[in-house]
Amino acid sequence: MKNYNFSILAALALVWLAFMPAKLPAAPVAGDSEVELNGGFFHTQGSGRGTLNADVHYGYYLSQGWEIGLRQALNYNFIKDRRDFWVATTTPLIVYNFRLSDTFVPYLGGDIGLVWNDRNVSGTLGPNTGLKIFLSDQTYLNAGYRYQWFFDRFRDIDNNSNRGNHIVNIGIGFVWGGTRNPKP
């Protein structure tokens, strides 16, 4: 089922690329703000387990490339005949957006923050990367990846670097503000 959904998404993206305008007046500029919403759900057929994940992030562009922001994520695990549990992540982030064109903007960055729930709190940090595909001048699709590893003390970071989470997300983002050149 997962491959089927990915195939549909890939086909829609290819159709959109085939018919998109030659040039979109897009991509962020200094002073822009950005809000991005990502989410997903996973449930194994025939099992009593499922996971809902969602995250929202706010970013502010210091320049055309550099962005600082804050991400709030939530993973909620449904377990049949057992107690459900959730984990939230709050991480400030810094990202560099490589402006290859006005449509395709890959990015690379990192974050450090907290992972918490009603029982525990831990530190987390890790790299993140992805691609923003602008659909219009201020709306984009995001395909992103980040890795989180956890620590209780800074000196434990290296010891836990291979025991973390891989997070892949797809979402939509909106950019506003900043100073753009008027269209001719």
Side-chain angles (χ1 to χ4, degrees):
M1 181 68 170
K2 198 186 301 186
N3 289 339
Y4 178 72
N5 290 336
F6 180 76
S7 298
I8 290 173
L9 183 63
L12 289 172
L14 289 174
V15 168
W16 175 79
L17 288 172
F19 295 104
M20 71 180 222
K23 174 132 172 84
L24 291 172
V29 297
D32 269 350
S33 290
E34 170 181 283
V35 170
E36 187 177 291
L37 307 167
N38 297 287
F41 181 78
F42 175 79
H43 184 274
T44 302
Q45 186 172 339
S47 79
R49 296 186 73 123
T51 302
L52 170 70
N53 59 6
D55 69 60
V56 61
H57 105 237
Y58 169 79
Y60 180 79
Y61 286 84
L62 301 172
S63 68
Q64 187 174 326
W66 287 104
E67 175 186 4
I68 57 172
L70 181 70
R71 176 181 294 115
Q72 180 63 54
L74 176 68
N75 291 324
Y76 193 90
N77 296 282
F78 304 93
I79 305 170
K80 184 177 179 178
D81 299 329
R82 298 182 109 193
R83 182 176 184 250
D84 295 347
F85 67 93
W86 58 272
V87 176
T89 306
T90 305
T91 54
L93 56 97
I94 186 164
V95 171
Y96 189 80
N97 295 275
F98 299 90
R99 190 169 180 165
L100 298 181
S101 70
D102 284 345
T103 303
F104 299 101
V105 181
Y107 60 89
L108 180 64
D111 55 34
I112 185 168
L114 295 175
V115 175
W116 51 278
N117 60 20
D118 56 349
R119 292 181 273 181
N120 298 312
V121 175
S122 180
T124 183
L125 71 94
N128 53 77
T129 188
L131 176 66
K132 298 173 185 175
I133 303 170
F134 278 81
L135 306 174
S136 70
D137 60 343
Q138 294 178 310
T139 305
Y140 66 88
L141 289 178
N142 175 63
Y145 167 81
R146 66 183 185 270
Y147 184 78
Q148 293 179 320
W149 64 81
F150 309 103
F151 60 91
D152 291 321
R153 298 174 303 198
F154 279 111
R155 65 179 170 203
D156 293 338
I157 291 173
D158 190 42
N159 295 336
N160 293 334
S161 63
N162 63 350
R163 288 179 266 150
N165 290 337
H166 297 275
I167 301 166
V168 177
N169 56 28
I170 297 175
I172 189 164
F174 306 96
V175 178
W176 73 93
T179 305
R180 288 179 168 69
N181 295 330
K183 297 177 185 175

